[in-house]
């Protein structure tokens, strides 16, 4: 096992800089998810940790040693790729044994280790098959098996579940997590799916445009997003935002939204954020027009319009409403996050009344 | 094209008609291709007196023509020469072409594109155009009348390098990256991953190379005067000029020359199918 430290890592492709000095510390045995929208540099960062991509500036430290110049095979890592990258001409057993074979392990030991990994992943019956004869989920498992057999100090995953259907993804998510709990190997997991990150990771690194936006546990990010971007990225369905202004400690927005947020020293443009499940139907309050009603069985999803802003609502009950109806919105001001209208940094929450 | 599903525009009898027409066209084409071959084989089995008769099945089939050809002329020797040259060129060429193709597709080095383009541009130049300078070079290297002179200049071939490079470009990079993480260096990746993955395309190229060299005539004619080094096409040409009236001998010689290529084709064809099936690339 080993810790991983990323120190001010920069990646340039010629004159184009795509990762701008990222730093993060990953403790021994920790499961860290790297999330962010497409093109933000997650894969690039992971590949620099793996040694597949040169590090333009800064350092990657694995187990206390700077590994910038160390070949991938000597970094004691293994990687699971999005498209699995199995060797098509080798059987499942040969795929898993390839690294051991290259390390010149005795045959019987190779067999033992492959057997162990196969048992762990339920691959015993498939060892003689070729990748072309496996389903997507099975291939994914073989890719995991190939990563496990070497017992590396760090696992690197690059969107390993994104080629699977929704149901299998949920199942494999649980399996990967279970595997991590058993092996306790330091893991870095790239995904653009924030639910995957929330459910699997001990800590999450949120990236955007080659920068780290915030690092924290899933609940820290959910409860105290550092800025508008993190707030909008974490949580599903995502947070509603209302643009307005803070004057004398009170937030006002079009449509009759008035939130007393006495503690805010801020004045000027601001954005109020509220999660869809924190918006309720009340008796008094700003009046909104219902645009879309989506019953899902247990819950009802609503899309309403308030002063030119569309808001999503997630109600715990079945409610008979039709588009065009008007409802009054209710929410606790303590559930409202405020963000600076210019810097987009989070200012705080509203006061509990 | 399933015949069971109802067709929206054509009735079943129309479909049968169209299919019948297509089959007739292909049958005619096949006949036109095969007939000269059949004719050649037929004459090869006919005695001299019968060789101009128009019946396809010989009235009194005989092996005499083959025996004559194989004993009067060192045909076995020519075939052995041809086989040696073709097989060596094929194997060595595949070895170097795969390496060149891989390097041009994957290794990053300055001048790679220029190098590729200059290799590619040799497509535009055919052998007759460069045969004199090539001859001068080979002569200067002392390879006239030698196997080396027959083999070495035939190894370079832009087509193979081009085809393999395009194929390697289409392989997912992650497979090689996985191999790098598994501890493989360039050589090991080439040998254990790239080569096995190129089996289908290599089988196809092997057939092409072998046949091209088996049938090559101009270069061996230019470079060899020693009959001991003659390849089979030279043997035949020489034989034809000697026995231009004896069609039965000529056809027997042609049949003998065609047999090995046919056998090889059948063997390799099966291998192509197999490797396509097992490689499991999606
Ligand atoms: N070889 C390259 N040359 C130039 N730019 C590149 C290269 N590889 C990646 N980039 C750029 O680097 C940025 C980050 O790419 P990266 O693949 O790391 O994104 P990502 O966060 O993994 O996205 P995704 O979720 O779509 O996989 C992108 O803007 C991409 O265009
Ligand atoms: Mg990516």
């Amino acid at each position: 096992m080993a810790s991983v430290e990323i120190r001010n890592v920069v990646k340039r492709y010629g004159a184009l800089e795509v990762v701008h000095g990222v730093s993060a510390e990953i403790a021994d045995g920790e499961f860290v998810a790297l999330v962010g929208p497409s093109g933000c540099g997650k894969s690039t960062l992971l590949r620099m940790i793996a040694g597949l991509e040169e590090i333009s500036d800064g350092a990657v430290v694995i187990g206390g040693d700077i590994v910038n110049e160390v070949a991938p095979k000597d970094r004691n890592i293994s990687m699971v790729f999005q498209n699995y990258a199995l060797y098509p001409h080798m059987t499942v057993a040969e795929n898993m044994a390839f690294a051991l074979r290259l390390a010149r392990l005795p045959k019987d030991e190779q067999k033992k280790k492959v057997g162990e990994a196969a048992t762990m992943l339920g691959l015993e019956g498939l060892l003689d098959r070729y990748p072309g004869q496996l389903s997507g989920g099975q291939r994914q498992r073989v890719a995991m098996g190939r990563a496990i057999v070497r017992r590396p100090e760090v696992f690197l995953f690059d969107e390993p579940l994104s080629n699977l259907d929704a149901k299998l993804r949920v199942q494999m998510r649980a399996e990967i997590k279970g595997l991590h709990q058993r092996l306790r190997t330091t893991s870095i997991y790239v995904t653009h799916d924030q639910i995957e990150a929330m459910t699997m990771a001990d800590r999450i690194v949120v990236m955007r445009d080659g920068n780290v936006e915030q690092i924290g546990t899933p609940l820290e990010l959910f409860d105290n997003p550092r800025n508008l971007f993190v707030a909008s990225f974490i949580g599903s369905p995502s947070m509603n935002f209302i643009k307005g202004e803070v004057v004398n400690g009170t937030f006002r927005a079009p449509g009759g939204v008035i939130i007393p947020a006495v503690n805010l020293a801020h004045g000027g443009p601001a954005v109020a954020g509220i999660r869809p499940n924190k918006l309720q139907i009340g008796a008094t309050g700003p009046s909104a027009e219902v645009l879309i009603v989506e019953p899902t069985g247990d819950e009802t999803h609503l899309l309403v319009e308030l002063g030119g802003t569309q808001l999503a609502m997630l109600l715990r009950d079945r409610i008979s409403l039709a588009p065009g109806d008007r409802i009054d919105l209710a929410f606790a001001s303590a559930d409202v996050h405020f963000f600076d209208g210019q810097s987009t940094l989070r200012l705080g929450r509203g006061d509990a009344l | 094209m399933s015949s069971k599903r109802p067709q929206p525009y054509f009735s079943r009898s129309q479909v049968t008609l169209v299919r019948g027409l297509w089959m007739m066209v292909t049958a005619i084409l096949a006949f036109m291709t095969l007939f000269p071959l059949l004719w050649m084989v037929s004459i090869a089995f006919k005695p001299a007196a019968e060789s101009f008769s128009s019946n396809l099945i010989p009235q009194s089939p005989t092996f005499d023509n083959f025996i004559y050809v194989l004993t009067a002329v060192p045909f076995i020797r020519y075939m052995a020469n041809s086989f040696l040259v073709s097989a060596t060129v094929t194997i060595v060429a595949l070895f170097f072409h795969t390496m060149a193709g891989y390097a041009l597709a994957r290794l990053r080095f300055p001048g790679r594109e220029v190098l590729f383009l200059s290799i590619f541009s040799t497509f535009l130049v055919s052998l007759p155009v460069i045969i004199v300078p090539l001859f001068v070079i080979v002569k200067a290297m002392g390879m006239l009348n030698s196997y080396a002179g027959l083999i070495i200049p035939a190894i370079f071939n832009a087509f193979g390098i081009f085809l393999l490079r395009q194929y390697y470009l289409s392989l997912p990079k992650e497979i090689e990256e996985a191999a790098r993480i598994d501890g493989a260096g360039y050589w090991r990746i080439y040998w254990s991953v790239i080569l096995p993955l190129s089996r289908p395309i290599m089988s196809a190229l092997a057939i092409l190379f072998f046949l091209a060299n088996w049938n090559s005539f101009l270069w061996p004619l230019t470079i060899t005067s020693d009959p001991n080094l003659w390849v089979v096409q030279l043997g035949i040409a020489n034989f034809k000029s000697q026995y231009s009236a004896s069609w039965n001998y000529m056809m027997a010689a042609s049949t003998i020359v065609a047999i090995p290529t046919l056998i090889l084709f059948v063997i390799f064809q099966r291998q192509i199918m197999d490797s396509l099936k097992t490689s499991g690339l999606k």
Side-chain angles (χ1 to χ4, degrees), chain A residues 13 16 18 36-45 158-159 190 192:
Chain A
Y13 289 108
L16 179 73
V18 296
S38 188
C40 70
K42 309 178 293 284
S43 298
T44 307
L45 185 60
D158 193 354
E159 309 206 17
V190 165
H192 59 256

Side-chain angles (χ1 to χ4, degrees), chain A residues 91-100 114 117-118 123 127 142 145-146 149:
Chain A
T91 62
V92 168
E94 286 165 350
N95 259 286
M96 297 212 281
F98 191 57
L100 306 178
V114 169
L123 289 170
L127 286 176
V142 176
R146 190 173 61 180
V149 279

Side-chain angles (χ1 to χ4, degrees), chain B residues 248-264:
Chain B
N248 49 332
Y249 293 152
M250 267 167 56
M251 291 302 122
S254 302
T255 307
I256 293 173
V257 173
I259 286 171
T261 58
L262 282 179
I263 293 175
L264 272 169

Side-chain angles (χ1 to χ4, degrees), chain A residues 50-125:
Chain A
L52 296 172
E53 219 51 87
E54 241 165 80
I55 299 164
S56 309
D57 219 332
V60 168
V61 182
I62 299 179
D65 302 317
I66 293 182
V67 294
N68 285 26
E69 305 297 329
V70 177
K73 66 181 166 96
D74 299 321
R75 293 191 183 193
N76 233 327
I77 47 122
S78 57
M79 184 156 169
V80 178
F81 294 86
Q82 179 172 3
N83 60 3
Y84 318 133
L86 299 176
Y87 311 121
H89 59 293
M90 299 186 196
T91 62
V92 168
E94 286 165 350
N95 259 286
M96 297 212 281
F98 191 57
L100 306 178
R101 206 178 99 205
L102 294 186
R104 302 194 190 288
L105 236 67
K107 272 258 149 49
D108 47 333
E109 204 157 324
Q110 286 182 26
K111 223 172 154 174
K112 196 176 128 236
K113 291 200 168 188
V114 169
E116 279 171 15
T119 315
M120 215 179 286
L121 291 159
L123 289 170
E124 299 99 325

Side-chain angles (χ1 to χ4, degrees), chain B residues 104-173:
Chain B
L104 287 171
R106 282 290 196 262
L107 305 192
R108 267 184 253 162
F109 54 89
R112 184 178 75 172
E113 299 311 311
V114 174
L115 189 64
F116 173 68
L117 278 180
S118 52
I119 290 176
F120 189 75
S121 64
T122 62
F123 255 146
L124 306 175
V125 188
S126 65
L127 178 62
V129 178
I130 54 160
I131 199 154
V132 173
L134 195 59
F135 177 83
V136 172
I137 293 172
V138 169
K139 185 173 178 213
M141 295 172 80
M143 295 195 297
L144 285 191
N145 268 322
S146 71
Y147 284 115
L150 284 169
I151 291 170
I152 292 171
I155 287 172
F156 178 81
N157 178 329
F159 180 67
I161 296 175
F162 171 72
L163 213 64
L164 285 159
R165 170 186 179 267
Q166 298 311 102
Y167 178 69
Y168 294 146
L169 282 177
S170 75
L171 285 181
K173 254 194 179 129

